[in-house]
Amino acid sequence: MTENDAAARTLSIDIGGTGLKMLVLDPAGTALNERQRVETPRPATPGAIIEALRGLIAGQPEFDRVSVGFPGVVHDGVIWTAPNLDTSWRGVSLAKALREITGKPVRVANDADVQGYASIEGSGVEMVLTLGTGLGSALFVDGRLVPNLELGHHPFRKGRTYEDYVGKPAFEEVGKKKWRKRVDRVIAQVEPIWNYRLLHLGGGNAKHLHADELPMNVRLHSNLGGVLGGIALWKG
Ligand code: BGC
């Protein structure tokens, strides 16, 4: 069995600012086990996170390749930024570290990009925003990804970025009701600029939104997309 074999099983890992999650997917992208989760260690240094991943990996069913969603900018398996983890991630090859642990080929992408693959329909311009510890963003054109879009760090209001405005600390500070209003304001701002056909909302806090209160072209997704999208990193 090779990583490109039609029968290859994918270990899909979602590294978040709050939790580390993983499961194994069959070739059709169906989960073969329950998603496992541990709290993200703090400080969230490369050493601490890689050790926590090693522990979770040991309990997984067999797999042939590894996909990872990482909460920052990623180029060729190397981490460029990790705003909600630790500055010492810069320059770390996460792909290499996990290859050494698993002995399998590894692909790493931004977490919102991975979540997006699980959510999009594949036609026209589709935008993805993930509402979790940080604010993740992804852009797809006819199913093709524009990698590493970092809308969360764009200034929005009163010197605050979109992430400052609707990320987890803001959610905890202002409460659900005000936070929902903030999400509405973010949508009202991005819609006329990006003119997407669909906006997909995912991430751990998307469950606090009400689908019937959102514009017609907005879709809500479960946070499971963070791992289910992992299989797409091996297509094309
Ligand atoms: C990071 C993004 C990431 C998002 C969600 C942001 O702070 O810059 O790369 O997708 O958090 O984890």
Side-chain angles (χ1 to χ4, degrees):
M1 169 92 52
T2 71
E3 71 268 21
N4 293 318
D5 197 297
R9 291 169 164 210
T10 308
L11 172 66
S12 188
I13 303 177
D14 181 12
I15 298 180
T18 311
L20 308 175
K21 294 140 262 174
M22 66 178 70
L23 51 64
V24 176
L25 300 168
D26 77 3
T30 307
L32 290 171
N33 60 333
E34 285 266 308
R35 191 186 74 162
Q36 315 286 310
R37 181 185 187 281
V38 293
E39 293 291 307
T40 303
R42 291 284 161 184
T45 57
I49 289 198
I50 289 165
E51 275 321 296
L53 293 176
R54 188 198 294 277
L56 272 185
I57 290 169
Q60 299 300 305
E62 261 186 65
F63 56 88
D64 308 292
R65 59 192 187 188
V66 184
S67 295
V68 189
F70 184 88
V73 174
V74 185
H75 289 289
D76 296 326
V78 176
I79 307 308
W80 282 39
T81 67
N84 295 305
L85 297 178
D86 194 87
T87 48
S88 56
W89 274 98
R90 190 172 176 80
V92 170
S93 176
L94 182 57
K96 182 164 173 271
L98 290 175
R99 213 162 40 234
E100 281 167 9
I101 291 177
T102 60
K104 309 287 183 195
V106 180
R107 291 191 180 170
V108 187
N110 172 265
D111 56 356
D113 292 352
V114 173
Q115 164 95 37
Y117 277 122
S119 312
I120 56 164
E121 291 183 353
S123 83
V125 175
E126 291 176 83
M127 180 167 258
V128 180
L129 294 179
T130 62
L131 299 153
T133 310
L135 177 69
S137 54
L139 190 67
F140 292 82
V141 183
D142 292 333
R144 279 183 66 97
L145 173 71
V146 180
N148 290 312
L149 177 70
E150 288 283 309
L151 198 61
H153 301 293
H154 194 281
F156 179 44
R157 288 186 154 217
K158 300 181 187 158
R160 284 179 298 183
T161 63
Y162 287 98
E163 179 163 298
D164 296 334
Y165 197 62
V166 293
K168 189 177 169 206
F171 177 87
E172 283 168 356
E173 186 195 322
V174 302
K176 241 182 245 177
K177 214 168 146 203
K178 280 197 179 148
W179 178 82
R180 273 194 212 108
K181 287 224 168 70
R182 286 187 173 199
V183 173
D184 290 345
R185 285 188 202 116
V186 168
I187 296 174
Q189 179 74 34
V190 296
E191 205 276 334
I193 295 174
W194 298 90
N195 295 297
Y196 43 72
R197 190 177 66 80
L198 289 176
L199 171 64
H200 303 276
L201 299 180
N205 279 339
K207 60 175 180 283
H208 301 300
L209 297 170
H210 301 146
D212 56 346
E213 290 171 4
L214 295 166
M216 293 284 285
N217 59 349
V218 178
R219 304 279 180 273
L220 277 184
H221 298 270
S222 116
N223 199 29
L224 206 56
V227 275
L228 295 183
I231 203 154
L233 302 189
W234 297 91
K235 288 181 185 151

